[in-house]
């Protein structure tokens, strides 16, 4: 069986139109109750406990994950399991975010009186404004829709889209109220690209110790070349007796000397080095090193400590292996 192209595309477009209209209606209904919900979450020392059955439960899991990753401690508790022991996960210092389109899900309604006796604040995301859930809630966020996108008007589609969008709106408002920064986001996403960019320091990826090419200014040119070739960095640092960086010599410098016809045997490191080279502090972010290399069109950079002494080196390959670039 194959779908008819025109009919399939028309149905898809109608689905998107219905869900887009539902979100615009949701936007128009936002009022002070949304602010109350945000302040309620900010006012509790515990977590946001998200709960919901069926498709609303799947949406709830995503909302809990979004809240947790943006600075608001959150978890999902299945209302069916809550009636069989998991209700103990919810404490009086928490706030419950309950999701149900009808507001009459049996498993959810069953735990509402217990939550109220515990004094747990309750925020409802529901389309049933006269429902049991709405009556028990301290704040009701209206997520009602005119109709589902499902042609049978049965499968949760537009209603779950509205719930998801309202959850995202809460997360964003809370993120802003908490002064959440990219660095905070990175700490909860250490395995992602943003986490690597904002949490990886130069010290984490640099070459160090015997892997760092360096010679003194009086080193013969042949010794300089041996050091540079053996370490595979494409450059070598020139340092004084205390380890302070005096200059750098690179593959590019070598090519330019050859083009000039210089007598390389007579030269020392101090004669051919590029003085005052680009360096970066050991405590800088690795992404700063990447930005410097791009800005100055260089492929390697020397790493120094606060006294200006050489403590490492890295090139673009090191940054690529660390997935910083």
């Amino acid at each position: 069986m194959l779908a008819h192209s025109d009919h399939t595309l028309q149905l898809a477009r109608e689905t998107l139109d219905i869900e887009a209209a539902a979100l615009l209606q949701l936007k128009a209904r936002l009022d002070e109750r949304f602010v109350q919900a945000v302040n309620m979450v900010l006012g509790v020392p515990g977590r946001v406990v998200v709960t919901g059955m069926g498709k609303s439960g799947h949406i709830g899991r995503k909302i809990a994950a979004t809240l947790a990753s943006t600075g608001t401690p959150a978890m999902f508790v299945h209302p069916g399991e809550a009636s069989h022991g998991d209700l103990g996960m919810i404490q009086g210092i928490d706030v419950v975010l309950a999701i149900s389109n009808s507001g009459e899900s049996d498993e959810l309604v069953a735990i509402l009186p217990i939550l109220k006796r515990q004094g747990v604040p309750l925020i409802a995301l529901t389309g049933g404004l006269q429902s049991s859930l709405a009556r028990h809630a301290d704040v009701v966020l209206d997520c009602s829709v005119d109709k589902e996108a499902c042609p049978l008007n049965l499968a949760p589609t537009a209603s779950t889209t509205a719930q998801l969008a309202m959850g995202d709106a809460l997360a964003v408002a809370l993120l802003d109220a908490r002064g959440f920064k990219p660095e905070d986001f990175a700490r909860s996403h250490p395995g992602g690209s943003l986490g690597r960019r904002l949490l990886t320091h130069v010290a984490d990826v640099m070459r160090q110790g015997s892997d760092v090419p360096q010679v003194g200014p009086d080193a013969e040119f042949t010794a300089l070349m041996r050091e540079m070739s053996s370490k595979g960095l494409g450059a070598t640092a020139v340092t004084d007796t205390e380890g302070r960086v005096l200059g750098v010599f690179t593959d590019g410098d070598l090519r330019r000397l050859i083009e000039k016809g210089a007598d390389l045997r007579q030269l020392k490191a101090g004669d051919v080095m590029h003085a005052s080279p680009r360096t970066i502090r050991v405590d800088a972010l690795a992404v700063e090193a990447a930005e410097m290399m791009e800005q100055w069109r260089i492929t390697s950079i020397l790493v120094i400590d606060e006294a200006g002494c050489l403590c490492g080196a890295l090139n673009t390959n090191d940054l690529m292996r660390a997935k910083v670039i």
Side-chain angles (χ1 to χ4, degrees), residues 283-305:
D283 54 354
L285 288 172
V287 68
E288 295 178 46
E291 290 169 353
M292 284 185 64
M293 291 183 192
E294 182 178 0
Q295 178 184 357
W296 299 106
R297 297 183 179 181
I298 55 179
T299 58
S300 60
I301 193 167
L302 303 178
V303 183
I304 59 173
D305 60 19

Side-chain angles (χ1 to χ4, degrees), residues 49-60:
V49 180
V50 186
T51 188
M53 277 298 297
K55 303 300 185 293
S56 293
H58 294 309
I59 296 298

Side-chain angles (χ1 to χ4, degrees), residues 73-86:
M75 61 180 291
F76 179 83
V77 172
H78 191 285
E81 297 296 335
S83 293
H84 296 276
D86 283 4

Side-chain angles (χ1 to χ4, degrees), residues 237-240 243-248 276-277 279 302-304 308-310:
V238 181
T239 59
D240 64 17
R244 285 188 292 267
V245 174
L246 302 175
V248 68
S276 302
T279 60
L302 303 178
V303 183
I304 59 173
C309 293
L310 182 70

Side-chain angles (χ1 to χ4, degrees), residues 28-262:
R29 289 196 302 266
L30 280 180
D31 55 23
E32 193 62 27
R33 289 173 296 179
F34 182 85
V35 180
Q36 291 173 7
V38 171
N39 286 331
M40 185 176 292
V41 173
L42 293 172
V44 298
R47 296 165 297 184
V48 176
V49 180
V50 186
T51 188
M53 277 298 297
K55 303 300 185 293
S56 293
H58 294 309
I59 296 298
R61 291 180 188 276
K62 190 275 178 186
I63 291 174
T66 299
L67 288 169
S69 71
T70 53
T72 297
M75 61 180 291
F76 179 83
V77 172
H78 191 285
E81 297 296 335
S83 293
H84 296 276
D86 283 4
L87 201 59
M89 296 180 179
I90 306 174
Q91 304 179 33
I93 60 173
D94 298 328
V95 57
V96 169
L97 178 64
I99 309 172
S100 171
N101 185 39
S102 68
E104 297 294 350
S105 299
D106 291 341
E107 296 87 348
L108 186 58
V109 170
I111 66 174
L112 296 180
I114 303 170
L115 294 175
K116 297 305 290 184
R117 284 199 296 272
Q118 290 179 329
V120 178
L122 177 62
I123 301 169
L125 265 64
T126 183
L129 303 184
Q130 304 302 320
S131 64
S132 300
L133 174 58
R135 290 196 301 272
H136 281 83
D138 297 289
V139 177
V140 177
L141 298 180
D142 183 358
C143 291
S144 59
V145 298
D146 289 342
K147 62 178 180 178
E148 298 288 3
C150 166
L152 304 177
N153 199 33
L154 294 174
T157 44
S159 59
T160 48
T161 298
Q163 293 166 357
L164 180 61
M166 184 66 81
D168 285 344
L170 278 172
V172 170
L174 288 163
L175 175 156
D176 180 73
R178 295 182 189 280
F180 197 74
K181 297 180 175 59
E183 294 80 5
D184 302 313
F185 187 85
R187 275 189 283 273
S188 60
H189 297 75
S193 59
L194 178 62
R196 286 190 293 271
R197 288 175 61 85
L198 294 180
L199 298 179
T200 303
H201 287 77
V202 168
D204 300 324
V205 297
M206 71 181 187
R207 308 178 188 202
Q208 49 190 317
S210 60
D211 292 330
V212 181
Q214 65 180 114
V215 296
D218 295 327
E220 299 291 340
F221 191 82
T222 53
L224 180 152
M225 288 304 303
R226 279 196 300 269
E227 178 72 359
M228 188 165 69
S229 299
S230 65
K231 302 301 172 61
L233 187 67
T236 185
V238 181
T239 59
D240 64 17
T241 55
E242 295 181 358
R244 285 188 292 267
V245 174
L246 302 175
V248 68
F249 184 76
T250 69
D251 288 338
D253 294 325
L254 175 61
R255 288 193 298 271
R256 285 185 283 274
L257 284 175
I258 293 174
E259 289 171 358
K260 292 179 180 179

